[in-house]
Amino acid sequence: CKMKVPRQADLACGNWGVIGPRAGKATFVEVCSEKGAHLLDSAVKKGILATEAANPKGLEIRGKVEGAMLKLGEKWRKKDFEGLGDGKDRLKKIMAETSRCIKCYSCISACPICYCVDCTTKNPTYVKPGEVPPNFMFHLIRFAHIADSCVNCGQCQELCPAEIPNALFMHAQQVELEKMFGHVPGVNMELPLMAFVEEREERARLGNTGSDMIYENVFSPVPKK
Ligand code: SF4
Ligand code: SF4
Ligand code: SF4
C-alpha cells in the first residue's frame, strides 16, 4: 500500500504525530477540504470534540513516519509483485492459488466496489451453481469488473477463509491498468474507463427494471409462442 495519509478525503485521521501527554489519547486530524473544515468546526461548536494546533515536533515526527512507511510500502510492493511473476507465470500462479476457493462470497460482500444487485458470479451461465472450487471464471469476473477501481483496501484478502491473496492479485492488475489509463482509484473522482462506459446505463436499468444484469435477455431461453 502506498496510500498512507488519504489527503484526497475531507479529513485524514490517525495517530502519527500525537506525542507527549496526548499520545494514545488524541487523534491527529489533517483537514483536507472546506467540507472537512466545516465538519470539524461544527463538531467543536457542538462540544462533541475539542481541537488544538498540532505540536511542531509532532508534525515533524509525523512526516518522518509517513516517509518511512512509504519506503516500507515500496519495498513490500516490489517483493510481492516480483513474487507474482509476469504474463503466463502470473496467470498460472493466480489460477493455482484461487483453486483453493470455497466460494463463500466473502471477497464480494466485503469489497466496496462490489455493490451490484445481480452479481454476475451468481449467474449460472458463467459459474456453475454448487461447484466448489468454482471455475476460474468466478475470479475472472471479479478481475474484469474490479481491477480498474480496486482501492487496495485488503478486505477481500483479510476475510478469505482459504487465505488466497485476493487483494494482491487485484491490486497488481490495477497498477497495470493505472499505467495504461492513468486512473487512480479512490483519488481521481472521475469514473474509471469501464464505469464511464456502462455505469450510468446500468443505474438506469436498475431504476427501471430492478435488475442491473446486462445480459439476462441475451441468455434467457427464447419465450415459447
Ligand atoms: S482490495 Fe480491492 S478488490 Fe479487494 S476488497 Fe478492497 S477494493 Fe475490493
Ligand atoms: S462488480 Fe462484478 S463481482 Fe462485484 S458484485 Fe458486481 S457483478 Fe459481482
Ligand atoms: S473469500 Fe476466498 S474462498 Fe471466499 S469466495 Fe472469495 S476467494 Fe473464494
Side-chain angles (χ1 to χ4, degrees), residues 42-50:
S42 305
V44 170
K45 274 182 199 140
K46 289 194 173 166
I48 296 167
L49 51 84

Side-chain angles (χ1 to χ4, degrees), residues 97-98 100-109 134 138-139 142 155-166:
E97 294 263 4
T98 52
R100 294 197 303 274
C101 176
I102 58 167
K103 208 161 73 165
C104 69
Y105 294 106
S106 293
C107 49
I108 295 173
S109 334
F138 178 86
H139 303 280
R142 249 176 67 75
Q155 287 304 295
C156 54
Q157 183 160 328
E158 184 77 15
L159 297 175
C160 177
E163 299 195 343
I164 299 167
N166 288 311

Side-chain angles (χ1 to χ4, degrees), residues 4 33-34 56 71-72 74 108 164 225:
K4 301 303 172 191
S33 72
E34 286 294 324
K71 274 192 194 147
L72 199 61
E74 202 61 74
I108 295 173
I164 299 167
K225 291 190 178 164

Side-chain angles (χ1 to χ4, degrees), residues 111-113 142 146 150-156 167 170:
C111 178
I113 321 292
R142 249 176 67 75
I146 305 297
C150 170
V151 288
N152 196 23
C153 69
Q155 287 304 295
C156 54
M170 194 70 86

Side-chain angles (χ1 to χ4, degrees), residues 11 25 40 45 52 54 62-64 70 74 84 88 93 100-102 106 110 115 118 127 171 173 176 182 190 196:
L11 296 171
K25 295 182 185 139
L40 203 62
K45 274 182 199 140
E52 65 183 57
R62 183 174 169 83
K64 281 188 182 157
L70 277 168
E74 202 61 74
L84 275 180
K88 280 188 188 165
K93 186 166 178 85
R100 294 197 303 274
C101 176
I102 58 167
S106 293
Y115 57 77
D118 298 314
V127 182
H171 186 54
Q173 293 174 64
E176 295 302 320
E190 75 276 14
F196 190 70

